[in-house]
Amino acid sequence: MCNLYSMTTNVEAIRRLFQVDPANDRAGNLASMPGIYPDYPAPIVRNGNGNGGRELAMARWGMPSSSKALMDATKKRAEKLQAKGKPVDFKELLRLEPDSGTTNIRNVSSAHWKRWLGPENRCLVPFTSFSEYDMIDGKKTPVWFASDESRPLLCFAGIWTNWTSVRKVKEGETTNDLFAFLTTEPNAEVGAIHPKAMPVILTTPEEVETWMAAPPDEALKLQRPLSDGALRIVARGVKEDPAGSAT
């Protein structure tokens, strides 16, 4: 499961590679992001509202979790409150159950995810490298992958939505643009570190266009690993990967 990635290239490179008109740039000044974690804001490229162009925007990493996951968490919270003799309004407790989101999406046949698989909810998630954890001497150690040492700009195949929920208790109920990206079985390089999954990565203009515009049945054919040899390990043991091209 990829829960850490970097995006260190500049905004002009993102707009140029993913065909975003500067007039549709909603991200503002975009600093280098050598370590992006779940629930952090990060840039996404999505289809614009009615103008036919793509839009660069910021969104928080983590799509809404399933109703079952939230129900199970709320039941546990209710049981703890009841054990302390406190009254429980279960419906209100469920509405305010904190949900930091689901970052990686594998089962696209789930009804929970199907509602967001149309082009209007698909997005590109720019990145320059991503991390999977290896266990070394009993400790989780980040291992960073990119297509080569220069960390060229690529993107994950993502989905996004606008959602009202409680992300953090201290924030209360808020409305946010949220995103996550698809995962699939790993290729050889990633599988040697994390044998269960890797992000779905788009590497060509044709793949980007298919993901952003094609019907779901065609677009979801892109949910496959990169070919073996397409990635390499570019860093180990660091929580951020600041290296990479600035252009």
Side-chain angles (χ1 to χ4, degrees):
M1 178 183 293
C2 176
N3 274 330
L4 174 61
Y5 70 98
S6 73
M7 210 297 297
T8 57
T9 195
N10 60 44
V11 69
E12 289 82 5
I14 295 174
R15 292 196 304 242
R16 184 170 61 247
L17 183 60
F18 301 123
Q19 299 179 356
V20 177
D21 190 297
N24 291 333
D25 184 351
R26 315 285 183 240
N29 293 329
L30 194 58
S32 177
M33 298 179 177
I36 300 172
Y37 288 86
D39 208 31
Y40 273 44
I44 62 171
V45 175
R46 60 191 179 191
N47 291 316
N49 294 323
N51 62 8
R54 292 178 185 160
E55 178 180 272
L56 177 62
M58 299 296 288
R60 290 171 75 159
W61 184 15
M63 285 286 282
S65 297
S66 70
S67 56
K68 182 181 185 306
L70 294 177
M71 179 67 73
D72 290 346
T74 304
K75 287 179 179 177
K76 290 181 181 179
R77 187 183 295 267
E79 289 170 358
K80 290 180 180 178
L81 291 172
Q82 289 169 339
K84 295 178 181 178
K86 296 182 178 181
V88 172
D89 181 342
F90 191 84
K91 185 176 180 180
E92 184 67 4
L93 205 63
L94 179 61
R95 185 178 72 85
L96 297 177
E97 179 63 34
D99 177 22
S100 60
T102 299
T103 57
N104 292 218
I105 298 167
R106 184 73 172 265
N107 182 16
V108 293
S109 63
S110 164
H112 179 67
W113 300 122
K114 279 185 176 181
R115 71 185 104 172
W116 293 309
L117 295 179
E120 65 277 8
N121 285 103
R122 290 187 218 140
C123 67
L124 312 172
V125 183
F127 78 97
T128 47
S129 61
F130 70 93
S131 174
E132 301 288 1
Y133 286 104
D134 194 8
M135 292 298 294
I136 299 177
D137 297 328
K139 296 181 180 180
K140 290 174 65 176
T141 302
V143 177
W144 291 87
F145 296 90
S147 58
D148 62 48
E149 293 289 343
S150 71
R151 282 85 159 169
L153 179 62
L154 296 173
C155 66
F156 303 126
I159 61 175
W160 77 278
T161 193
N162 183 265
W163 196 256
T164 299
S165 63
V166 176
R167 302 289 289 187
K168 297 178 180 178
V169 173
K170 65 181 180 181
E171 290 182 351
E173 195 171 58
T174 59
T175 299
N176 303 276
D177 284 349
L178 309 175
F179 77 94
F181 45 75
L182 272 56
T183 60
T184 185
E185 61 271 17
N187 70 354
E189 300 88 79
V190 177
I193 302 298
H194 183 67
K196 293 184 178 180
M198 69 173 290
V200 172
I201 298 171
L202 310 177
T203 61
T204 68
E206 292 76 18
E207 289 174 351
V208 166
E209 185 61 30
T210 296
W211 180 248
M212 294 298 279
D217 287 350
E218 182 179 351
L220 289 171
K221 292 177 182 178
L222 295 169
Q223 191 181 20
R224 78 288 177 265
L226 290 186
S227 59
D228 295 344
L231 295 169
R232 66 181 61 183
I233 294 173
V234 293
R236 292 178 184 267
V238 291
K239 295 181 179 180
E240 296 184 344
D241 183 33
S245 173
T247 59

